[in-house]
Amino acid sequence: MRKVRILAYIFLCILFSVPFWGAQYAYTKHRAINSIYSNDTLPRVKGDSLLKNDSLKLRNDSLLQDSTAQKKNALDAVVDYTANDSVVLMASNWGYLYGAAEVKYTEITLKGEKLSMNMDSSLVYATYGLDSVGKEFGYPVFSDGGTDYESKDMKYNFKTKKGYITNVITTQGEGYVIAGRAKKQEDNSFFMLDGKYTTCDDHEHPHFYLALTKAKVKPKKNVVTGPAYLVIEGLPLPLGLPFGFFPFSDKYSSGVIMPSYGDEMDRGFNLHDGGYYFAINDNIDLALTGDIYTKGSWALKARSSYRKRYKYSGSFDFNYLYNKYGEKDVDQSISKDLAINWTHSQDPKANMFRTLSASVNFATSSYNNNSLDNRYTRQGTSNTKGSSVNLTQKIPNSAWSISASMNVAQRSQDSSISMTLPNLTVTMSRVAPFKRKEAAGAERWYEKIQLSYTGDFRNSIDTKENLLLKSNLQKDWKNAMKHTIPVSATFSAFNYLNITPSINYTERWYTSKIQKQWNPQTNTHMSMRGDTTYSFKRVYDFNAALSFQTKLYGEYIPVFSKTTRIRHVFTPSISLSYAPDFSDPMFGFYERYKYIDSKGQQMEYVYSPYSQGMFGTAPMGASGMVSFNFENNLEMKVASEKDSTGYKKISLIDNLSINFSNNMMADSLKWSDIAVNARFKFSKSFVVNIGAAFDPYMYGLDQYGSPTKVDKLRISHGKGIGRLKSTGYSISPSINQDTFKKLFGKDVEKEGGKKEGSQTDTDNPEGEAGEQKKGSLLEKKKDDNQYDEDGYVKNDIKWNLAFNFSMNYNYGDFDYDKMEYKGRLTKNFGLSGSIQPTKNWNFNFNTSYDFDAKKIAYMSCNLTRNLHCWSITASFNPVGAYKSYYVSLRASSSLLQDLKYEQRGRSSSYDPNWD
């Protein structure tokens, strides 16, 4: 045991000393460089020899002494060269190119501000230039095989395809490889000393990098390095590697997904979301991950996204959780949870006659509480979930279409589930069957007759989650079909009156009916076990209606302004409808039986065996309705110089409607409730809808002492036309940093348009058709901040605040003294917002208030900070039952997504309550 401890200490000492060895090696590597380049085939560059002597010192270069260099036609192809400034050819067969010079040889291109090349040999030397203020520009760029190398000095031999480069930068994957000195080989790989690998685009002073003492780089393949250590903000950290291998690929590649570490009081320490990523092809991928806990819990997850251009796209997510809570043999509980998420959307260009869409969000009721992904999120507190899959097929050159769908609704509070599978709908759009194909003369009255058809078949069930798979298709599932055929036509009379007669026919097909009988023990009508019979039954009903509608316009000039016009549009409509009494025995849709009630009186009970059917049953009682509907629209026009017409339209009341009806064939309670709806449009995004219902009747007590509506109108007893029965409205406005500027200041959109336009013209001097010139990797990172007169950074604080408030008024408890229902008021309030004090900081929150409990029901906050190469995120729920926090620090690059630190809250049932 002692030997193992000693070996462990030695290993730790070696591991933590690697960065310091690397740093020491970086300071003393010039000795090795001198020995390397003394025997190099290319002369070593000292300073900028081109700027000093406009010549190269090549006396000791072995290339000049090479026998192959003295032969003519030593190269396989012609070397093309150009320069914007000048080309100088010397008697010594040396050429000097100035001003954006470029040399091309086969697929090899070398660019630079200054180039020197030997006409007899294959040697080329490139360097940068200096402007009038001494700023460097025109750095050499070498391109070969689709890979670019940018450096300050470069020497290259076209024949041997070898070169020597100083201060080179090349892009590899999402990162950058930076080398102080490098030797390029014939196979495009190069050896380098004093190298760096980083994903930071600030190459001169990267925020973090891996210091590579020596390495070999194969472009677009890999980097193999010797001792390396991590440097953050110029500070070497005791985190080193004796060697490293970094693979690169232009295509998607498979790889290991590193897990996150965490711990919980209930399930113990855990590794979260660790697994493997499969890059199947360019259209689909797959990530298999899992969770494991020290107390026995585990999880399996599969995530996949797919996309085919111009066809479809979507994603699929499958999760299975196995949870163990409590101590073994004491109070341990085991739960199994399942969650499936699937989204699919079809490109409209794929098929104009067939569409498929899916939005599946299925999960067991306890999944959100057991999953670390959803436990402390807004989604985790949701009580309901909905899923749907829809397939629609349109028949070309016809009015027919067929759609099939699956719908699932879940309620986590009581683990109930409602499923409809399948739901088939056959639709025929409105057609005119009597319209002539080749019309001649005026349109005849029967040509205006139009009809449509809708057939709906459903198979559904309402049950609990644990009973869904145990259900019986015949006894537990409900299935039925409904046919709807509306027929209507519209005629004009006196040029102002629209008359619309219509007939609606509805037929329902059922496979079962429920028989009821009197239960003297409970004194109720109930269906007994075994009273359901299965056979084909059809229930139909129909009605006829005749409606009259017109529009009246009124306009007047108000007293306060002669240039203002107010217009009132009044749209009254009256409709008559009739439907027979389908409870008549001649139809056979209702059944009767006699019974003796609790008082010993013989009574007759009428019911429909199909009342609990999926599409209901035919209505009981004859109906002769007279319906009234009055709609109002009020607008105002005021003089405005901003509008091209000279007037600005303001909506005072977008719509105010009042509707009620009277059933002339009813024995009592002929009048319906009076419905009032109002819509106010204050702006394009701010619309308020208010609806209310007024009860025209009074209330009393029935023979059992229960409150009931009596056939006495309130207006006849001096209590007004009606009493407010229900109302409600909701409002959800939002404001941001530009709201008050638009109301009290200048037009932000116009100013923004001007600024954007001017900025675009300045930034792109080549015009719309030109492309923005690619910046140099060696140039210093530009400061895109704007400064004021005092030198401080200008910063526009961006913020947004939105709230939603809804209030509903309904009947509550009954007041026996006043013989009226008391009002009950319910309110809901939610608030959300975000603020961006600087371009790198962002804070957003979402909260809701429970008026019944008089406290905040839920609140979630998120704080993010962009650290350029890194990002830090903090999410916390400070109040409510889901108090928690989550902090994450990770690299911004997806290539280094496993370079992260995470910390989660440990809230559980075992934690003490500190409130």
Side-chain angles (χ1 to χ4, degrees):
M1 190 67 184
R2 182 179 179 184
K3 294 180 179 179
V4 174
R5 192 183 304 118
I6 294 174
L7 291 176
Y9 290 155
I10 294 174
F11 175 76
L12 291 175
C13 292
I14 295 174
L15 180 63
F16 284 97
S17 61
V18 167
F20 301 101
W21 292 347
Q24 180 66 27
Y25 182 80
Y27 284 108
T28 58
K29 64 182 179 302
H30 65 277
R31 299 178 181 176
I33 295 173
N34 291 333
S35 61
I36 292 175
Y37 295 116
S38 61
N39 299 321
D40 195 358
T41 57
L42 295 173
R44 183 183 176 190
V45 181
K46 295 182 179 179
D48 192 352
S49 59
L50 185 60
L51 296 176
K52 294 180 180 179
N53 302 320
D54 287 340
S55 63
L56 292 174
K57 299 179 180 180
L58 304 174
R59 299 177 181 178
N60 298 326
D61 193 350
S62 60
L63 286 174
L64 298 179
Q65 302 174 4
D66 194 350
S67 60
T68 59
Q70 304 298 327
K71 296 179 181 180
K72 296 182 179 180
N73 300 328
L75 300 176
D76 298 334
V78 178
V79 178
D80 293 330
Y81 55 89
T82 59
N84 291 344
D85 188 358
S86 60
V87 177
V88 180
L89 301 177
M90 306 296 291
S92 58
N93 289 333
W94 275 92
Y96 302 94
L97 288 72
Y98 300 91
E102 181 177 357
V103 176
K104 292 183 179 180
Y105 172 72
T106 63
E107 297 180 355
I108 301 173
T109 303
L110 180 61
K111 299 179 181 179
E113 180 62 23
K114 295 182 180 181
L115 295 179
S116 299
M117 50 184 281
N118 194 313
M119 301 299 180
D120 296 332
S121 65
S122 54
L123 186 64
V124 178
Y125 172 69
T127 187
Y128 57 89
L130 296 175
D131 59 10
S132 58
V133 296
K135 182 180 179 181
E136 300 174 354
F137 71 97
Y139 295 104
V141 178
F142 176 81
S143 301
D144 186 9
T147 304
D148 295 339
Y149 306 89
E150 187 172 359
S151 64
K152 289 190 175 182
D153 296 299
M154 184 177 299
K155 190 185 299 180
Y156 186 74
N157 192 319
F158 283 119
K159 183 178 180 181
T160 62
K161 296 184 179 180
K162 295 181 179 181
Y164 170 62
I165 313 171
T166 61
N167 298 320
V168 61
I169 299 178
T170 180
T171 304
Q172 300 295 330
E174 295 184 14
Y176 303 91
V177 176
I178 306 171
R181 301 177 185 271
K183 289 180 61 179
K184 181 187 174 301
Q185 301 300 311
E186 186 176 359
D187 59 352
N188 280 341
S189 65
F190 60 91
F191 296 92
M192 66 179 186
L193 294 175
D194 189 20
K196 301 175 183 178
Y197 178 76
T198 180
T199 59
C200 181
D201 57 359
D202 188 359
H203 311 297
E204 186 175 1
H205 300 289
H207 296 92
F208 82 100
Y209 61 89
L210 283 174
L212 313 177
T213 55
K214 58 182 179 178
K216 180 180 180 180
V217 179
K218 290 184 177 181
K220 299 183 179 181
K221 291 184 178 180
N222 55 59
V223 174
V224 181
T225 175
Y229 55 93
L230 182 64
V231 179
I232 296 180
E233 293 292 349
L235 177 64
L237 298 181
L239 299 175
L241 298 172
F243 60 90
F245 177 79
F246 303 93
F248 304 110
S249 177
D250 293 337
K251 299 182 179 180
Y252 292 111
S253 59
S254 304
V256 177
I257 301 176
M258 296 297 294
S260 301
Y261 168 79
D263 67 289
E264 286 188 18
M265 297 294 292
D266 292 346
R267 291 179 286 187
F269 298 99
N270 65 79
L271 293 177
H272 178 65
D273 277 345
Y276 197 83
Y277 175 80
F278 297 91
I280 301 175
N281 53 46
D282 293 339
N283 298 327
I284 186 172
D285 63 353
L286 176 64
L288 296 178
T289 59
D291 305 343
I292 186 170
Y293 298 81
T294 55
K295 292 186 178 181
S297 300
W298 53 273
L300 292 177
K301 307 175 184 179
R303 297 188 304 273
S304 177
S305 59
Y306 56 90
R307 179 182 179 87
K308 192 170 184 180
R309 185 174 295 180
Y310 309 123
K311 292 292 185 180
Y312 52 79
S313 62
S315 62
F316 182 82
D317 195 348
F318 173 83
N319 297 275
Y320 180 80
L321 305 180
Y322 180 86
N323 299 286
K324 283 185 178 181
Y325 290 100
E327 300 296 333
K328 188 176 182 180
D329 300 331
V330 181
D331 56 350
Q332 189 177 75
S333 62
I334 298 176
S335 65
K336 300 177 182 179
D337 293 295
L338 177 69
I340 298 175
N341 289 274
W342 177 36
T343 59
H344 179 89
S345 61
Q346 180 177 308
D347 195 299
K349 307 182 188 67
N351 194 323
M352 61 184 300
F353 299 109
R354 184 186 302 112
T355 58
L356 174 64
S357 62
S359 177
V360 177
N361 182 17
F362 177 85
T364 54
S365 56
S366 58
Y367 173 79
N368 288 335
N369 293 331
N370 294 326
S371 173
L372 287 178
D373 298 327
N374 297 342
R375 175 181 286 187
Y376 304 115
T377 63
R378 184 75 174 180
Q379 180 183 359
T381 61
S382 177
N383 187 40
T384 59
K385 297 182 181 67
S387 305
S388 64
V389 180
N390 300 278
L391 174 64
T392 303
Q393 174 67 54
K394 297 180 180 179
I395 300 177
N397 303 323
S398 71
W400 293 91
S401 64
I402 303 173
S403 64
S405 64
M406 179 201 72
N407 299 283
V408 180
Q410 294 178 264
R411 186 177 178 182
S412 303
Q413 186 175 4
D414 55 0
S415 68
S416 61
I417 182 172
S418 299
M419 177 180 289
T420 302
L421 178 67
N423 184 6
L424 299 176
T425 304
V426 180
T427 305
M428 182 188 72
S429 59
R430 189 176 295 273
V431 296
F434 306 110
K435 193 174 185 63
R436 292 169 293 175
K437 294 183 178 179
E438 297 179 359
E443 187 179 22
R444 299 173 184 177
W445 68 269
Y446 56 82
E447 291 184 295
K448 297 182 179 181
I449 299 176
Q450 297 180 341
L451 63 88
S452 61
Y453 167 79
T454 302
D456 193 353
F457 172 76
R458 296 182 189 176
N459 184 44
S460 64
I461 186 175
D462 296 332
T463 183
K464 300 292 184 180
E465 291 179 0
N466 56 343
L467 301 177
L468 179 62
L469 299 179
K470 301 178 183 178
S471 60
N472 184 278
L473 182 61
Q474 183 180 14
K475 296 182 179 180
D476 299 326
W477 287 75
K478 296 180 181 180
N479 43 71
M481 189 167 185
K482 179 181 179 181
H483 308 269
T484 305
I485 304 176
V487 182
S488 63
T490 302
F491 306 96
S492 297
F494 311 110
N495 295 327
Y496 300 106
L497 183 63
N498 294 326
I499 303 175
T500 305
S502 63
I503 298 175
N504 297 283
Y505 178 81
T506 303
E507 184 170 321
R508 309 163 186 86
W509 292 352
Y510 292 117
T511 58
S512 63
K513 66 177 183 178
I514 299 177
Q515 301 288 342
K516 291 186 178 182
Q517 63 182 9
W518 175 254
N519 187 349
Q521 296 179 356
T522 59
N523 294 326
T524 58
H525 305 279
M526 59 182 300
S527 58
M528 303 300 292
R529 181 177 297 178
D531 286 344
T532 303
T533 58
Y534 300 95
S535 60
F536 177 76
K537 304 291 181 181
R538 52 187 294 264
V539 181
Y540 62 86
D541 67 88
F542 54 86
N543 63 78
L546 181 65
S547 64
F548 304 88
Q549 186 184 56
T550 187
K551 282 183 180 292
L552 301 176
Y553 296 87
E555 184 174 326
Y556 66 95
I557 301 175
V559 180
F560 57 85
S561 177
K562 294 183 178 180
T563 59
T564 303
R565 299 289 188 273
I566 297 179
R567 190 182 71 165
H568 177 212
V569 181
F570 178 59
T571 309
S573 64
I574 301 175
S575 62
L576 307 173
S577 64
Y578 169 77
D581 184 6
F582 291 98
S583 64
D584 192 287
M586 63 176 291
F587 293 103
F589 302 150
Y590 284 79
E591 297 184 1
R592 295 167 171 81
Y593 67 84
K594 295 182 179 180
Y595 65 98
I596 305 298
D597 63 4
S598 59
K599 297 181 180 181
Q601 297 180 359
Q602 186 176 3
M603 306 291 292
E604 184 181 31
Y605 181 68
V606 182
Y607 74 98
S608 174
Y610 316 102
S611 59
Q612 297 181 6
M614 188 178 301
F615 299 109
T617 186
M620 177 187 292
S623 173
M625 303 291 294
V626 180
S627 301
F628 303 89
N629 185 38
F630 306 101
E631 294 184 357
N632 299 267
N633 176 268
L634 199 63
E635 294 179 338
M636 181 173 64
K637 283 187 176 181
V638 296
S640 176
E641 297 179 356
K642 296 181 179 180
D643 199 290
S644 58
T645 61
Y647 288 91
K648 181 181 180 181
K649 185 185 295 184
I650 300 175
S651 176
L652 301 178
I653 301 177
D654 192 57
N655 184 37
L656 174 62
S657 63
I658 302 173
N659 58 81
F660 55 91
S661 61
N662 180 278
N663 189 356
M664 297 181 295
M665 301 186 67
D667 297 333
S668 61
L669 304 176
K670 295 183 178 182
W671 291 97
S672 67
D673 292 342
I674 303 173
V676 180
N677 295 280
R679 180 173 66 249
F680 300 94
K681 189 176 182 181
F682 298 101
S683 66
K684 293 181 180 180
S685 59
F686 187 17
V687 179
V688 177
N689 293 281
I690 301 175
F694 295 87
D695 192 350
Y697 287 99
M698 299 179 64
Y699 284 82
L701 300 178
D702 60 8
Q703 56 182 349
Y704 302 105
S706 300
T708 182
K709 189 181 293 186
V710 296
D711 192 15
K712 295 180 181 180
L713 292 174
R714 301 180 65 90
I715 191 173
S716 61
H717 290 74
K719 293 188 176 182
I721 297 177
R723 185 173 185 267
L724 183 61
K725 182 179 181 180
S726 64
T727 186
Y729 74 92
S730 61
I731 184 174
S732 56
S734 62
I735 57 175
N736 54 32
Q737 68 278 357
D738 298 329
T739 302
F740 299 104
K741 293 180 181 179
K742 292 180 180 179
L743 294 177
F744 308 106
K746 298 181 180 179
D747 194 340
V748 179
E749 295 181 359
K750 292 183 178 180
E751 288 185 355
K754 292 180 181 178
K755 290 180 180 180
E756 290 177 1
S758 60
Q759 186 177 1
T760 303
D761 297 339
T762 305
D763 295 343
N764 190 6
E766 298 181 9
E768 295 180 358
E771 296 181 0
Q772 188 174 1
K773 186 178 179 181
K774 183 179 178 181
S776 173
L777 296 177
L778 287 170
E779 290 181 356
K780 294 183 178 180
K781 187 179 178 181
K782 295 182 178 179
D783 187 2
D784 55 356
N785 293 321
Q786 296 182 356
Y787 298 89
D788 56 14
E789 298 177 353
D790 298 326
Y792 292 100
V793 177
K794 290 182 179 180
N795 183 62
D796 294 332
I797 300 178
K798 298 180 180 180
W799 58 273
N800 178 66
L801 186 64
F803 68 91
N804 58 83
F805 178 77
S806 63
M807 182 177 66
N808 295 280
Y809 174 86
N810 300 93
Y811 276 170
D813 299 332
F814 189 76
D815 189 347
Y816 289 91
D817 297 332
K818 298 181 180 180
M819 299 302 289
E820 297 282 0
Y821 275 99
K822 298 179 181 179
R824 182 180 60 185
L825 193 66
T826 59
K827 301 180 290 292
N828 294 302
F829 178 77
L831 182 66
S832 62
S834 64
I835 183 172
Q836 189 176 0
T838 66
K839 66 178 182 179
N840 294 323
W841 282 100
N842 190 19
F843 174 78
N844 62 78
F845 68 94
N846 192 323
T847 183
S848 61
Y849 184 79
D850 189 346
F851 287 92
D852 295 333
K854 296 182 180 180
K855 65 178 182 180
I856 297 177
Y858 178 82
M859 175 180 285
S860 64
C861 304
N862 298 280
L863 180 66
T864 59
R865 173 67 164 93
N866 183 10
L867 302 173
H868 188 252
C869 303
W870 297 76
S871 63
I872 185 171
T873 303
S875 302
F876 54 94
N877 299 341
V879 297
Y882 297 93
K883 292 182 181 179
S884 65
Y885 69 90
Y886 170 71
V887 180
S888 172
L889 175 64
R890 64 178 64 228
S892 301
S893 173
S894 60
L895 184 67
L896 302 176
Q897 60 180 348
D898 297 325
L899 190 60
K900 60 185 178 182
Y901 172 79
E902 294 179 333
Q903 181 65 39
R904 297 177 183 269
R906 302 179 62 200
S907 176
S908 70
S909 58
Y910 294 101
D911 289 343
N913 187 1
W914 302 106
D915 294 341

